[in-house]
Amino acid sequence: MPQRDPLREQIIAQYDAMSPQLQQAARYVLEHPDEVALVSMRELARHAAVQPATMTRLAKFLGMQGYDDIREHYVAALRRGSDGFAAKVRQRGDVAPETVNENIAAHMLQGLSAQMTKLCEPDSLQRLKAIAHTLESAGKVYVLGLRSCHSVAWHFHYVMSLLGDRSVHLDGPAGTGGDGLIRATLEDVLFVVSVKPYAVATLELTQLAKDKGLTIVSITDSEVSPLVGMSDQTIFCPTESYSFFHTLTPALAISEVLCTLLAEDDRPKALDALQQADEHFLSLNTYSATIPRRE
Amino acid sequence: MPQRDPLREQIIAQYDAMSPQLQQAARYVLEHPDEVALVSMRELARHAAVQPATMTRLAKFLGMQGYDDIREHYVAALRRGSDGFAAKVRQRGDVAPETVNENIAAHMLQGLSAQMTKLCEPDSLQRLKAIAHTLESAGKVYVLGLRSCHSVAWHFHYVMSLLGDRSVHLDGPAGTGGDGLIRATLEDVLFVVSVKPYAVATLELTQLAKDKGLTIVSITDSEVSPLVGMSDQTIFCPTESYSFFHTLTPALAISEVLCTLLAEDDRPKALDALQQADEHFLSLNTYSATIPRRE
DNA sequence: CGATAAATGCAACAAATGAATCATTTATGT
DNA sequence: ACATAAATGATTCATTTGTTGCATTTATCG
């Protein structure tokens, strides 16, 4: 990974100008960047066979205010290596509010970008695949997502309804949301979306579906979410954001991926269903015919 | 194969037996394992919104001698992780025998990640800021998004409704969606979301609002979207995806950013409103407060 | 060699950390 | 409803941390 490391380059550049002790310290830092982030200065000094003060002096020599600047740099580097996002969220309290406000939009978006990348990890991909398979072989798919999760649930249902008639959205006026389950059978699947704080109604309906013998598939935000225990399969979506709101963007992304996997599984059938939908909308004049010219 | 993590599994296993505060601490640890290794206990506690002592108590609860045992574990894990990084990169090389489905999912997610990053460009950020300002100084904010864009519109409205009572969702059964505009005034703003193919109803309602003198702010997918000509301000969301569906994830992200900017603009007021909402939900038992325990 | 300055080691310091204690609040059971 | 226990918050304490000032050593140059 050709990751630029300005501090490392600076140390190398100034290495020849250092005193022997400083060189020894610098050399240890170069060769054990992780240690800098993970242990205290005194311990690092011990491992480098150098006086604690030398580390401080190294920092000053490099034009920094103190040793903490060095560590902070390597902590940031380590974070980037393993997880690029969590770091930034936490800095919020420490940074001047004005600065954050200016950049808050960019920070949020970059965080989301990192979260999308994180969802590419093998574990997530495997779960996606498995859940897609479950949904494929299901009878009806009941879709449940209340309050903030409504957006995800509805979008999933909407796309599914374009692909066929297997999807039932458990939502409705006058508290009739759960009625869809009345005729649910063992072959059916409940697709439920919920993140903290978990709506009581969601948990209750899910429990009901489970009692009726449905397979439960869920999108939720944590291993310790109450949904995990009720679900046959779960996929986790990060929800952290710079704002004091949770983000549902990753959850929506997951939902879209699932829809795509389902459609791809039987591509001809999906195309056919979409064609049908197109004709339907055309005859209803649902969509604007004056579509922006392309090409 | 994902790394085995005994401590993580232990925390998950004992999670249900923990007190609420312990759960909160444990949850933060689960979700931010790197932080445990990289910051002090007090800082971790601060980020987890928990008392420092709670972290010590968590350690004791897990049968350890002190918090340092927890950290030591995560330090070791991080060390292994960064060492094993080269291995991960190597894995990427022989990705050949993967199934098609996994590739689609990964491609989609990586594409989304890139799109989020693209939204950080100065032009987008400036538009976001400007739109946020318009929404701030608006009277009512009417929110319109039909069909696939319903998810974005509804989510925006939902968050806005937590923050105050200025948001009106132009949606409703029996074709009453547009009725909300009946008493709209010149100070009000229409916030409309639409991507290709553009729903006729959306365009018609938007035109009506424009005729009534409302300010029109839109999220749409192209410079040549029909919404651009009707709108005072527009922000563009990419919708391209590797699947044959459009993606609404970037649009949702934009919506969330806008909500955050609005809330941040008057942070105390936002916090106050959220507090009110919390109390409301508490008295209604909307959310599962203490997660159901099983022994 | 001897005088000067740089480099190094040592010790003491304030600030922070993690842990322990106690008072108060909240939940539980009869 | 009350009594009891559990959970939580606040306070305090002994350590450890990073830093600094000073004494000592080492290198440099006339």
Side-chain angles (χ1 to χ4, degrees):
Chain A
M1 63 187 160
Q3 191 142 7
R4 239 176 73 75
D5 185 344
L7 179 53
R8 182 186 168 82
E9 285 164 21
Q10 186 193 352
I11 293 176
I12 293 173
Q14 298 190 243
Y15 186 85
D16 290 331
M18 295 178 192
S19 74
Q21 287 294 302
L22 282 186
Q23 285 190 344
Q24 189 170 334
R27 183 174 182 123
Y28 189 86
V29 168
L30 286 179
E31 288 172 1
H32 306 270
D34 293 353
E35 294 303 300
V36 180
L38 293 171
V39 308
S40 76
M41 185 201 77
R42 287 175 117 98
E43 206 174 331
L44 191 78
R46 242 164 80 244
H47 293 139
V50 151
Q51 288 262 338
T54 305
M55 288 296 172
T56 297
R57 287 165 182 153
L58 176 63
K60 304 260 185 193
F61 180 87
L62 293 170
M64 321 183 130
Q65 199 170 8
Y67 172 81
D68 273 325
D69 292 346
I70 292 185
R71 169 156 60 204
E72 199 168 326
H73 177 271
Y74 282 102
V75 164
L78 227 188
R79 279 203 175 101
R80 231 166 286 128
S82 50
D83 158 294
F85 174 65
K88 298 181 178 175
V89 174
R90 134 199 126 48
Q91 284 181 353
R92 252 204 116 216
D94 313 337
V95 179
E98 297 169 9
T99 316
V100 175
N101 274 347
E102 287 303 311
N103 303 329
I104 189 163
H107 284 173
M108 278 183 73
L109 291 167
Q110 277 167 2
L112 286 172
S113 172
Q115 286 169 333
M116 297 295 152
T117 301
K118 220 174 168 187
L119 285 176
C120 292
E121 281 173 3
D123 180 59
S124 298
L125 293 179
Q126 205 171 333
R127 286 171 184 271
L128 281 169
K129 191 179 160 191
I131 287 177
H133 182 261
T134 299
L135 292 173
E136 272 161 32
S137 46
K140 291 272 182 196
V141 175
Y142 296 93
V143 183
L144 174 59
L146 300 182
R147 310 202 62 86
S148 68
C149 296
H150 165 79
S151 52
V152 177
W154 190 84
H155 185 257
F156 180 83
H157 164 74
Y158 176 73
V159 176
M160 287 294 283
S161 70
L162 293 181
L163 291 174
D165 55 358
R166 288 170 42 218
S167 175
V168 177
H169 190 195
L170 295 181
D171 192 20
T176 61
D179 295 7
L181 285 179
I182 290 174
R183 271 170 290 278
T185 75
L186 290 175
E187 286 81 40
D188 298 340
V189 170
L190 176 70
F191 180 79
V192 52
V193 187
S194 184
V195 300
K196 194 178 171 189
Y198 312 99
V200 170
T202 298
L203 300 181
E204 289 173 348
L205 255 184
T206 302
Q207 186 60 49
L208 174 67
K210 188 178 172 62
D211 292 343
K212 289 192 82 165
L214 274 73
T215 301
I216 313 289
V217 164
S218 58
I219 298 182
T220 191
D221 58 350
S222 166
E223 296 259 18
V224 291
S225 154
L227 272 185
V228 172
M230 308 180 184
S231 304
D232 299 275
Q233 292 176 292
T234 307
I235 183 158
F236 300 106
C237 61
T239 61
E240 238 170 314
S241 153
Y242 283 92
S243 72
F244 30 49
F245 304 117
H246 291 154
T247 175
L248 278 165
T249 299
L252 183 66
I254 287 173
S255 157
E256 288 185 338
V257 170
L258 285 175
C259 290
T260 299
L261 293 181
L262 284 171
E264 287 287 345
D265 181 66
D266 191 347
R267 207 187 164 98
K269 186 179 157 197
L271 287 172
D272 201 52
L274 288 177
Q275 169 98 17
Q276 250 186 299
D278 271 349
E279 285 164 13
H280 175 77
F281 293 139
L282 196 64
S283 67
L284 267 184
N285 242 332
T286 303
Y287 289 119
S288 165
T290 57
I291 292 174
R293 337 164 179 172
R294 298 176 51 177
E295 299 156 87
Chain B
M1 112 183 31
Q3 317 144 358
R4 238 176 64 78
D5 185 343
L7 178 53
R8 179 184 171 80
E9 284 162 23
Q10 185 193 352
I11 294 177
I12 293 172
Q14 298 190 241
Y15 185 84
D16 288 331
M18 295 178 192
S19 74
Q21 287 294 301
L22 281 185
Q23 286 190 342
Q24 191 170 332
R27 187 174 174 126
Y28 191 86
V29 168
L30 286 179
E31 288 170 3
H32 306 84
D34 294 352
E35 294 302 298
V36 180
L38 293 170
V39 308
S40 73
M41 183 200 77
R42 287 174 115 97
E43 210 175 329
L44 192 77
R46 213 171 316 131
H47 297 140
V50 150
Q51 290 255 337
T54 306
M55 288 295 173
T56 299
R57 287 166 181 154
L58 176 63
K60 304 265 185 191
F61 181 88
L62 294 169
M64 323 186 126
Q65 198 172 9
Y67 172 81
D68 274 325
D69 292 346
I70 292 185
R71 169 159 54 208
E72 199 174 327
H73 176 273
Y74 282 104
V75 164
L78 226 187
R79 278 210 178 91
R80 241 172 286 126
S82 57
D83 287 348
F85 185 74
K88 282 184 188 172
V89 175
R90 240 176 288 129
Q91 262 190 346
R92 236 174 228 195
D94 35 284
V95 96
E98 305 261 350
T99 70
V100 180
N101 275 1
E102 271 167 337
N103 281 334
I104 289 179
H107 282 161
M108 279 184 71
L109 291 167
Q110 276 165 4
L112 286 172
S113 172
Q115 285 168 334
M116 297 293 153
T117 303
K118 252 185 202 161
L119 286 176
C120 292
E121 281 173 2
D123 179 60
S124 298
L125 293 179
Q126 204 172 335
R127 286 171 185 271
L128 281 169
K129 202 173 154 188
I131 289 177
H133 182 261
T134 300
L135 292 173
E136 271 161 31
S137 46
K140 292 272 181 197
V141 176
Y142 296 93
V143 183
L144 173 60
L146 301 182
R147 310 202 62 85
S148 68
C149 296
H150 164 79
S151 54
V152 178
W154 190 83
H155 185 257
F156 181 83
H157 163 73
Y158 176 73
V159 175
M160 288 294 283
S161 71
L162 292 181
L163 291 174
D165 54 0
R166 287 171 43 217
S167 176
V168 178
H169 190 195
L170 294 181
D171 192 20
T176 62
D179 295 7
L181 286 178
I182 290 174
R183 271 170 290 277
T185 75
L186 291 174
E187 286 81 40
D188 297 341
V189 171
L190 176 70
F191 180 79
V192 52
V193 187
S194 185
V195 300
K196 188 184 164 191
Y198 311 99
V200 170
T202 298
L203 300 180
E204 288 174 347
L205 255 183
T206 303
Q207 187 59 50
L208 173 67
K210 188 179 172 59
D211 293 343
K212 291 193 81 166
L214 274 73
T215 302
I216 312 290
V217 164
S218 58
I219 298 182
T220 191
D221 57 350
S222 163
E223 295 268 11
V224 293
S225 154
L227 272 186
V228 172
M230 308 181 188
S231 304
D232 298 274
Q233 291 175 292
T234 307
I235 183 158
F236 300 106
C237 61
T239 60
E240 247 170 297
S241 160
Y242 285 84
S243 76
F244 37 87
F245 302 118
H246 291 152
T247 174
L248 278 164
T249 300
L252 183 66
I254 287 173
S255 155
E256 287 185 337
V257 170
L258 284 175
C259 289
T260 300
L261 292 180
L262 284 171
E264 287 287 344
D265 180 66
D266 191 347
R267 205 186 165 99
K269 187 178 155 200
L271 287 172
D272 202 52
L274 289 177
Q275 168 100 12
Q276 253 185 298
D278 272 349
E279 285 164 12
H280 176 77
F281 292 140
L282 196 63
S283 66
L284 269 184
N285 243 332
T286 303
Y287 290 119
S288 160
T290 312
I291 292 162
R293 274 196 212 190
R294 37 192 188 266
E295 64 282 354

